[in-house]
């Protein structure tokens, strides 16, 4: 019954409209600028930079500014890794993506960013690693747009400093507070899950292997409720695919893609901390619609690949969680 409650429970609103609005502005205005410049091909880069706005929603300025600056730099670095991986053989590219997952897991624990885990960093790296390789000039443009959008998101997140209630806004920016302890067991779980998921996804014929890696790290990114998080990932993805069908089938023009991206990003942020499964109803079509600007694919193949990758990744993650629980239980029994 506890698991059932975790699956269906929707948390309180708790002012979710404020971070949702920041996310909408952070992704919307850069996309409008790119659309005006006729660069629909760079909308994906803007979306990854705008993920910076998702972080540090519970912090106030200047702590939010400092943490988002670190996240923005990390997302930009992940895009660079993905661009480089696209020029390598597939297996080397997968190793680089696993490296991003492990590095972001460690960094997330040290910086204590929220939401935790390496999800968006693997997403940013994987999307470009799985796309056709960019030339040097085009890659520089992608990196510049990602970094610029991330910087804009940091500015939007810092805008609250102009309000009189932010008495700490006048204080100089300080370094992000670091945590000394890194939970090695979580890092090892992420490494194991990715190391198993990558070849399994290839064996199953998954085209977007990084989708499977994302699904594998999602349940491991929370300390409690991991089974519920995995089931939310599968159920939310399935419902999100239903939403994505008409959006993809409409082959929306650039302005419509921007509008859809803003609406879905705001919707995801409204629910992500209240019920992860509901948030996936927005996140899934967002990823597919924006991703279609980078490398289009037949709708049926795309939907099937997303579902297969998600199920495979979550299944591996839950096996890792179960294995870890069994080992801890056995160890406690032996030490009694």
């Amino acid at each position: 019954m506890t698991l059932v409650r975790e699956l269906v429970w929707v948390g309180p609103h708790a002012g979710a409209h404020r971070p949702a609005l920041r996310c909408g502005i952070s992704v919307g205005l850069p996309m409008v600028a790119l659309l005006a410049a006729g660069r629909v091909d760079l909308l994906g880069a803007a979306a990854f930079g705008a993920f910076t706005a998702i972080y540090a929603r519970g912090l106030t300025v200047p702590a939010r500014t400092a943490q988002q600056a670190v996240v923005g730099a990390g997302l930009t670095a992940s895009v660079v890794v993905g661009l480089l991986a696209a020029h390598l053989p597939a297996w080397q590219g997968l190793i680089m993506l696993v490296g991003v997952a492990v590095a972001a897991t460690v960094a997330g624990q040290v910086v204590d960013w929220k939401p935790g885990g390496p999800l968006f960093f693997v997403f940013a790296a994987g999307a470009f690693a799985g796309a056709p390789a960019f030339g040097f000039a085009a890659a520089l443009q992608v990196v510049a747009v990602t970094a610029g959008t991330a910087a804009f998101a940091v500015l939007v997140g810092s805008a609250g400093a102009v309000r009189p209630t932010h008495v700490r806004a006048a204080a100089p920016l300080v370094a992000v507070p670091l945590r000394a302890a890194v939970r090695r067991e979580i890092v090892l779980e992420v490494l194991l899950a990715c190391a198993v998921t990558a070849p399994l996804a290839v064996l199953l014929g998954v085209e977007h292997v990084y989708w499977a890696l994302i699904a594998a790290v999602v349940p491991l990114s929370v300390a409690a409720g991991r089974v519920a998080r995995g089931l939310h990932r599968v159920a939310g993805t399935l419902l999100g695919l239903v939403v994505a069908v008409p959006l993809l089938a409409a082959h929306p023009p650039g302005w419509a893609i921007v509008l859809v991206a803003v609406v879905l990003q705001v919707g995801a942020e409204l629910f992500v901390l209240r019920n992860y499964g509901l948030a996936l109803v927005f996140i899934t079509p967002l990823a597919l619609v924006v991703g279609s600007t980078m490398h289009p694919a037949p709708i049926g193949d795309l939907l099937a690949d997303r579902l297969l990758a998600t199920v495979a990744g979550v299944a591996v993650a839950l096996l890792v969680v179960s294995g870890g629980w069994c080992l801890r239980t056995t160890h406690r029994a032996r030490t009694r």
Side-chain angles (χ1 to χ4, degrees):
M1 292 302 296
T2 301
L3 177 59
V4 172
R5 284 195 295 270
E6 289 179 345
L7 291 174
V8 301
W9 183 76
V10 179
H13 178 73
H17 61 283
R18 286 187 288 272
L21 179 61
R22 291 196 296 267
C23 286
I25 294 172
S26 297
V27 72
L29 291 186
M31 282 189 167
V32 169
L34 289 171
L35 189 62
R39 297 304 305 269
V40 177
D41 57 310
L42 292 174
L43 292 180
F48 289 118
F51 284 152
T52 302
I54 296 173
Y55 289 81
R57 64 183 290 171
L59 302 179
T60 56
V61 180
R64 182 190 300 142
T65 303
Q67 189 170 107
Q68 287 187 340
V70 172
V71 168
L75 288 168
T76 304
S78 298
V79 168
V80 172
V81 171
L83 290 168
L84 293 174
H87 291 271
L88 300 175
W91 66 270
Q92 293 181 5
L94 284 177
I95 291 175
M96 293 182 71
L97 293 184
V98 174
V100 169
V102 172
T105 299
V106 174
Q109 293 187 50
V110 172
V111 178
D112 195 25
W113 60 49
K114 296 291 187 297
L119 188 160
F120 292 102
F121 302 88
V122 176
F123 189 10
F128 287 98
F134 285 75
F136 182 72
L140 283 181
Q141 292 177 354
V142 168
V143 174
V145 169
T146 303
T149 308
F152 177 69
V154 174
L155 290 176
V156 172
S158 304
V162 302
R163 298 189 309 179
T165 54
H166 278 72
V167 295
R168 290 187 294 167
L173 286 180
V174 295
V176 178
L178 304 181
R179 300 196 306 177
V182 173
R183 296 185 60 182
R184 289 177 295 179
E185 67 275 13
I186 294 180
V187 178
L188 291 175
E189 286 175 343
V190 169
L191 177 59
L192 176 60
C194 290
V196 173
T197 299
L200 175 63
V202 173
L203 183 64
L204 292 174
V206 172
E207 182 177 351
H208 302 79
V209 178
Y210 72 96
W211 285 348
L213 294 178
I214 291 172
V217 301
V218 162
L220 305 177
S221 300
V222 293
R226 289 171 150 191
V227 174
R229 178 58 66 98
L231 296 178
H232 270 153
R233 184 78 191 184
V234 174
T237 296
L238 185 59
L239 293 175
L241 292 177
V242 175
V243 176
V245 169
L247 296 177
L248 292 170
H251 300 290
W255 65 266
I257 292 174
V258 172
L259 179 61
V260 167
V262 172
V263 171
L264 293 177
Q265 183 67 69
V266 170
E269 193 64 16
L270 286 173
F271 288 99
V272 69
L273 294 185
R274 303 168 64 195
N275 184 289
Y276 185 64
L278 288 177
L280 261 297
V281 177
F282 298 91
I283 294 171
T284 301
L286 172 64
L288 295 178
V289 171
V290 174
S292 67
T293 65
M294 298 170 57
H295 38 97
I299 296 176
D301 294 345
L302 195 65
L303 301 180
D305 201 55
R306 180 76 174 197
L307 184 59
L308 178 60
T310 300
V311 172
V314 169
V316 172
L318 295 184
L319 285 175
V320 171
V321 169
S322 300
W325 180 83
C326 291
L327 288 175
R328 288 190 294 270
T329 302
T330 302
H331 176 73
R332 284 195 295 266
R334 289 178 177 177
T335 55
R336 287 177 181 174

